[in-house]
Amino acid sequence: MSREEKETLLQQRAKVLWFTGLSGAGKTTLADALERSLAANGIATIRLDGDALRTGLCEGLGFSDEARTENIRRAAEAARLCIGAGVVVLATFITPSRAMRDLARARIGEADFLEIYVNAPLAVCEARDVKGLYRKARAGGIAQFTGLSAAYEPPNSPWQEIHTDIASIESATRALTEAVMPLLVRP
Ligand code: ADX
């Protein structure tokens, strides 16, 4: 069956919402909330998450530039399969470099790739330190940690940018739902 047929079956258009940002910026929290909001609007979705994929499809990959690129390549291929099934993908990966995001965009296709920059200052992410990783990285326990010993290149012109240190999850979810719903509804 073609993608078009599957989209007709599901009464929606498939897209990939690609959340990029530092560890602790709020990508997962925001994507989980948006997924619930889209479900309430009748949209069928799937979540692809960095931490989750790294225990399965991407198991064994580290955090060198090369390993991250392979991580993103696999994630983008998985996302591509999902949109082929008519499903809306919410993908949450740090995706620290423009080259990695360009790779994902190219694999998925420009028209289907919606980049969301989850922007919180490093100091805020570090203060939150939900997983205790910044503390560990500062103590020398984690090499190539994004934001500290490995670079994060902010997107130049993301489709949407959310400042999670300013906006509440509720208002950010509302804004993203309003922005994306017109793109997911079949005419
Ligand atoms: S990416 O850079 O390849 O896109 P991905 O989103 O899959 O990263 O995984 C990031 C998660 O891995 C972080 O949220 C954190 O829990 C964990 N992690 C472990 N080591 C590192 C590291 N060196 N840099 C960043 N995140 C790390």
Side-chain angles (χ1 to χ4, degrees):
M1 270 171 75
S2 70
R3 169 176 170 181
E4 178 74 26
E5 288 173 290
K6 301 220 174 182
E7 288 180 326
T8 303
L9 205 59
L10 291 171
Q11 305 253 355
Q12 65 184 32
R13 294 215 180 277
K15 297 279 174 200
V16 177
L17 295 153
W18 194 281
F19 295 74
T20 173
L22 292 171
S23 179
K27 300 182 295 297
T28 299
T29 306
L30 194 52
D32 286 350
L34 181 60
E35 185 175 44
R36 287 193 179 280
S37 173
L38 294 181
N41 284 279
I43 302 294
T45 56
I46 185 168
R47 286 279 286 105
L48 297 178
D49 180 76
D51 281 316
L53 258 67
R54 282 173 174 280
T55 67
L57 180 62
C58 302
E59 192 177 5
L61 294 178
F63 291 88
S64 65
D65 257 18
E66 196 185 12
R68 288 186 204 242
T69 300
E70 176 59 13
N71 183 46
I72 296 309
R73 188 191 69 78
R74 291 186 202 178
E77 288 298 336
R80 201 158 70 97
L81 291 172
C82 295
I83 52 171
V87 175
V88 172
V89 181
L90 296 96
T92 43
F93 298 87
I94 295 177
T95 345
S97 72
R98 294 195 189 97
M100 290 173 205
R101 294 190 295 269
D102 286 347
L103 170 70
R105 185 181 288 107
R107 296 257 168 186
I108 288 161
E110 180 83 40
D112 293 324
F113 182 86
L114 302 173
E115 186 178 68
I116 301 169
Y117 177 24
V118 183
N119 185 357
L122 175 65
V124 171
C125 298
E126 189 163 1
R128 288 178 184 156
D129 208 8
V130 185
K131 302 176 205 162
L133 294 175
Y134 283 96
R135 196 169 46 85
K136 202 168 158 191
R138 285 279 186 205
I142 309 175
Q144 297 176 304
F145 195 78
T146 311
L148 300 182
S149 47
Y152 180 82
E153 300 171 357
N156 288 327
S157 52
W159 173 66
Q160 297 285 321
E161 179 169 356
I162 305 291
H163 291 271
T164 58
D165 56 326
I166 298 166
S168 68
I169 290 292
E170 292 74 23
S171 69
T173 303
R174 215 175 309 120
L176 285 178
T177 303
E178 277 171 23
V180 78
M181 274 310 293
L183 306 177
L184 306 182
V185 174
R186 288 180 62 85

